Amino acid sequence: AGFFIKMDSIPVFARWLQYICSLKWGMNILLWNEFNESAPQLLETNDIQEDQLWLYALVLLCIFLGFRVIAAVVLARKAKAFYN
């Protein structure tokens, strides 16, 4: 998610993975909540913007729901194949 290694150090073909990682979005919200007044340079370094907090929460919710739906579909198909 770019917290321990800067995105410039990650190979280009793997950078898209940050967007499906819930850690990135959850940490953005957590860092803003913890350091918005005491360490604004930390937020700037991690490219966290206050006006996008709703977006971080929405993406986190979509990732959660998306993976739940995928898991439900896979389980339903496996159960159907098992019981038929």
Side-chain angles (χ1 to χ4, degrees):
F3 296 108
F4 301 112
I5 300 173
K6 288 295 167 199
M7 291 308 296
D8 296 336
S9 303
I10 297 175
V12 175
F13 65 87
R15 289 183 188 171
W16 67 272
L17 291 169
Q18 71 172 324
Y19 299 111
I20 63 168
C21 179
S22 58
L23 179 65
K24 172 188 173 58
W25 308 104
M27 285 297 292
N28 282 356
I29 295 169
L30 181 71
L31 286 172
W32 181 84
N33 187 46
E34 193 68 30
F35 299 109
N36 65 340
E37 294 177 6
S38 62
Q41 70 277 8
L42 178 68
L43 301 178
E44 186 177 319
T45 302
N46 286 301
D47 196 30
I48 298 171
Q49 299 164 0
E50 181 179 0
D51 60 339
Q52 292 187 347
L53 285 176
W54 65 271
L55 177 66
Y56 303 150
L58 181 64
V59 171
L60 194 57
L61 180 66
C62 288
I63 289 172
F64 174 77
L65 293 175
F67 282 126
R68 297 280 291 197
V69 168
I70 290 169
V73 169
V74 169
L75 285 173
R77 287 186 180 179
K78 286 188 178 269
K80 186 176 181 182
F82 183 76
Y83 289 112
N84 284 336

